Every structure is written in C-alpha cells, then in structure tokens.
Amino acid sequence: MKKDLLTLFDLTRKDLDLLFEETDRLRHDRSVAPLRGQTVAMIFQKPSLRTRVSFEVGVSQLGGHTTFLSQESIGIGTRESVHDVALLLSRYCGALVARLFDHRVLVDLARFATIPVINALTDLSHPCQVLADLYTVRQYGKLKPGVTVAFIGDGNNVANSWLEISGLYPIRFILAAPKGYQADPGIVQRARAAGVSSIEIVADPQEAVRNADVVYTDVWTSMGQEAEAERRRKAFTGYQVSEALMRAAPADCLVMHCLPAHRGEEITDAVIDGPRSVVFDQAENRLHVQKAVLTALCSQNHGDQAQGAER
Ligand code: CP
Ligand code: NVA
C-alpha cells in the first residue's frame, strides 16, 4: 500500500521519530541511492525557491531524477482532469510532489495516484516545512516535551501544520493572530482532540512570547492573497516580530521564519539577521528532512507501481 504525506496528521509519533533518525543519517551519508532509476514529478501551481530546489537536489542526491511541471505546462484541472493527471504520472514516476492552491485537489491527486503524493504546500498546510522546523528545534537541543512555540501573525498554512505536528509531539503552541486571521478551525479542533499538546489562542503577541523557546512568524500575505495585501498590512499592525517584541521574549529563544520573508512587515531586518535567528538552518533542513520523507515513502512503494500492460 502506498503512503502519502498530505498533512502531518498522516504521520504517527513513531513515523516522526524514525524520520528524524533517518534525517540524521542522511545528513552525513551520501552513499545511499534509494531512488536510483526513479523520477519524481513536481507539480507546482505557485512560485517556489526552497521547496523546488531542496526537492530537486534531494532527489538527485538519492540517485533519482525530477521532472518539473508548471501549471502553465500541464493545466491540472483545466487542460486535463486531476484524475487523468494522477493516473498518467503514476505510469511514469515513482512519486509526486505537488504545490497547489486548493488542498482538495491534492487529496484527489493522492486518491487517484498509485504512487506516493507529497504536499509541497497548499493553502491549508505545509507539512514538509514544519517537519524541517521541528527538526531544527531538535538540532538546537530545544526539543523537549512542552517546548513553547509562539507563532505570531497569520494563522495560515504554516501555522496549521504546527497544529498538525502538535498532535504528534507534545509542545505548547501559542498562536497570536488578529481576529479574522486565525488558524483553520477544523485543524485546531483535531489538534486539540489529539490530546498531546497544549494549544492556546491569544490576541497579544507580548503575552505569547513571554516564555517562548521559539518565536515563529510567516508573511502576512501568502501566495495567492496579493490582492488583500493592503487590508492585511492594516489588520496585522502590532504583530510584527521586532526588537521591541523580542525584548519581551527569553534571551535564549530561537527566531524562526519559513521564508520568503517580507522584511519590514512581519519581521524586521534586525531580528531576522540577529543572533537568535535560525532561518537558514531551517531552510537547509528542508533538504535533509525531505530526503528522509522520500526514502521512507518511495522505498515502501518500490515495485508497487501500476504496470498496465502486464495486468
Ligand atoms: N519555505 C518555502 O516553502 O519556501 P518556497 O516558497 O521558496 O518554496
Ligand atoms: N504562508 C506562505 C508560506 C510560504 C512558504 C505562503 O503560503 O505563501
């Protein structure tokens, strides 16, 4: 049975521990090539720097190849149905990495594909990012039960994936977001129902960062929301991760951002370039963690690909 990574709710705590162990191993061992002879399809409806490059480099380091498919070139859902794209790519490829607007399209892709499907970001969720983020927290020796993560700003796809991972590892997750920009209610409910972590929704960023081990932020205007940028800038006034806000946080906390940053909006230069910032470690860890994800999903599926002519 093939496995997908659509959200972090797809993983168990054991999967998470194994992924981090495999990540440790792959960071130092370049001799393994579990993807030899396989091609990974990369469907991207939105721009990307980190995700695209880290997957392309990661697949290549694991001995495989990628084929990049922009929305313009394949027209998923317009030129051809999601169903047909999924079945077709399953005949050629070993896995499918997809960055899409609508999470439901990703769910459909996974439903119809006979190969593993990995979420490279949707409007709802960004699981690969938050896996790399938690791995970075661990790398800094701060991953302990109850580690406090204060997410300041938009309750968006990245915040949602922090909520997803709170169902796997016991954290104290505090979201400080303005009214109307909260995380997805279904995900909040599911994360709370998992009963693993403490989840707090507050309005005041100062209160949120007071005991934080990690202060996290992301852009106020995500990809696809550009028309709302002005309205959002107003709504998020007071939610900037600035030197003033960081004075309310513990001196040894980490500052995290998934990037790209809109410097001067959700975070200031002084903070993102400051001594507490680990943003480039997070970005590097995308490569290592995704190699572990690919290894786990593709090795498991090897040999399961549909071979129509033989049926
Ligand atoms: N953090 C992240 O996913 O970056 P890209 O949008 O550049 O891929
Ligand atoms: N929330 C951002 C994350 C980018 C990596 C977006 O969706 O644009």
Side-chain angles (χ1 to χ4, degrees):
M1 250 298 266
K2 65 125 177 177
K3 274 187 99 175
D4 305 304
L5 179 58
L6 307 187
T7 76
L8 296 172
F9 290 133
D10 290 337
L11 300 182
T12 62
R13 171 63 195 273
K14 186 160 179 240
D15 293 331
L16 182 72
D17 292 345
L18 289 174
L19 271 180
F20 284 180
E21 280 168 32
E22 182 67 358
T23 305
D24 288 340
R25 192 174 72 86
L26 289 168
R27 277 176 67 202
H28 305 292
D29 183 0
R30 288 281 193 88
S31 66
V32 290
L35 265 58
R36 185 176 291 123
Q38 294 201 49
T39 298
V40 174
M42 310 254 298
I43 300 181
F44 276 59
Q45 287 182 329
K46 304 188 191 195
S48 172
L49 176 62
R50 277 144 293 272
T51 308
R52 177 177 176 175
V53 177
S54 57
F55 267 109
E56 289 185 346
V57 171
V59 170
S60 150
Q61 289 181 359
L62 294 172
H65 297 276
T66 53
T67 180
F68 186 81
L69 306 167
S70 67
Q71 178 64 13
E72 294 68 41
S73 65
I74 64 165
I76 187 165
T78 52
R79 180 173 184 267
E80 197 157 358
S81 70
V82 177
H83 170 269
D84 289 0
V85 170
L87 286 187
L88 182 282
L89 290 175
S90 298
R91 295 295 180 102
Y92 297 144
C93 301
L96 221 164
V97 170
R99 168 166 286 198
L100 305 170
F101 287 95
D102 188 343
H103 191 81
R104 289 168 304 184
V105 176
L106 183 79
V107 172
D108 279 347
L109 262 182
R111 185 153 62 96
F112 299 127
T114 59
I115 54 176
V117 174
I118 299 171
N119 182 355
L121 179 148
T122 63
D123 287 348
L124 189 72
S125 180
H126 197 4
C128 293
Q129 178 67 52
V130 173
L131 279 177
D133 295 339
L134 199 70
Y135 183 83
T136 309
V137 174
R138 176 178 174 270
Q139 191 177 36
Y140 275 85
K142 288 185 178 283
L143 190 61
K144 54 184 187 314
V147 57
T148 299
V149 179
F151 193 108
I152 312 299
D154 193 14
N156 60 14
N157 40 12
V158 177
N160 286 337
S161 284
W162 271 103
L163 286 159
E164 291 159 14
I165 216 163
S166 81
L168 301 179
Y169 189 90
I171 64 174
R172 180 175 174 224
F173 184 71
I174 310 173
L175 174 63
K179 209 161 156 261
Y181 297 93
Q182 296 293 334
D184 180 80
I187 293 183
V188 173
Q189 193 183 30
R190 208 168 154 187
R192 283 198 165 128
V196 174
S197 292
S198 146
I199 291 156
E200 296 160 48
I201 314 279
V202 302
D204 179 10
Q206 301 263 344
E207 180 194 332
V209 302
R210 192 160 302 132
N211 294 306
D213 296 297
V214 174
V215 174
Y216 201 115
T217 191
D218 184 16
V219 291
W220 295 339
T221 300
S222 283
M223 290 179 278
Q225 299 171 334
E226 290 76 9
E228 300 170 25
E230 202 39 56
R231 178 153 56 87
R232 284 174 166 270
R233 265 193 285 275
K234 285 199 185 86
F236 285 96
T237 305
Y239 286 83
Q240 185 184 62
V241 175
S242 60
E243 285 164 292
L245 180 66
M246 290 310 296
R247 276 196 285 277
D252 64 346
C253 73
L254 304 178
V255 170
M256 301 183 84
H257 191 308
C258 56
L259 305 176
H262 294 166
R263 288 165 174 257
E265 285 193 14
E266 78 278 358
I267 195 163
T268 60
D269 285 336
V271 176
I272 199 167
D273 297 328
R276 294 190 263 189
S277 170
V278 297
V279 299
F280 292 103
D281 293 314
Q282 290 175 255
E284 178 185 330
N285 285 332
R286 295 290 305 278
L287 168 67
H288 307 307
V289 168
Q290 287 161 195
K291 282 172 70 181
V293 169
L294 286 160
T295 302
L297 298 186
C298 296
S299 320
Q300 196 174 44
N301 197 51
H302 211 47
D304 282 0
Q305 270 168 262
Q307 298 294 326
E310 290 164 19
R311 282 202 295 237

